[in-house]
Amino acid sequence: LDEALYIGDRVLVLTGRPASRVVSVPIDLPRPRPRGIRLSDHFLDLKRQISQTVAGPAPRAPQISNELT
């Protein structure tokens, strides 16, 4: 992900097979990109946003029934 952010102009997040696009994130970092940009707040915000999209929503806890069987 770091490399995609560093060298890319946009990052596409895809679903599993068959792949379809979930989101396209434009990488609006200045060019040429200095090495230190990887520590910038904007770079880290983009990385966090994309990581959360890839991870998807948090799984729901299983429902526990109060019924006795």
Side-chain angles (χ1 to χ4, degrees):
L1 182 53
D2 282 39
E3 186 174 353
L5 288 169
Y6 187 69
I7 65 174
D9 293 318
R10 69 180 172 156
V11 172
L12 298 176
V13 178
L14 305 175
T15 63
R17 292 183 182 167
S20 62
R21 185 176 67 191
V22 173
V23 69
S24 174
V25 180
I27 308 303
D28 56 347
L29 297 169
R31 291 225 179 246
R33 296 188 177 139
R35 289 181 160 212
I37 201 153
R38 294 175 189 225
L39 301 176
S40 73
D41 289 339
H42 188 56
F43 186 95
L44 296 174
D45 286 342
L46 286 168
K47 183 177 175 180
R48 188 175 309 109
Q49 174 190 349
I50 295 167
S51 293
Q52 289 173 347
T53 302
V54 169
R60 294 179 56 193
Q63 297 295 321
I64 299 173
S65 174
N66 290 334
E67 297 177 26
L68 298 174
T69 55

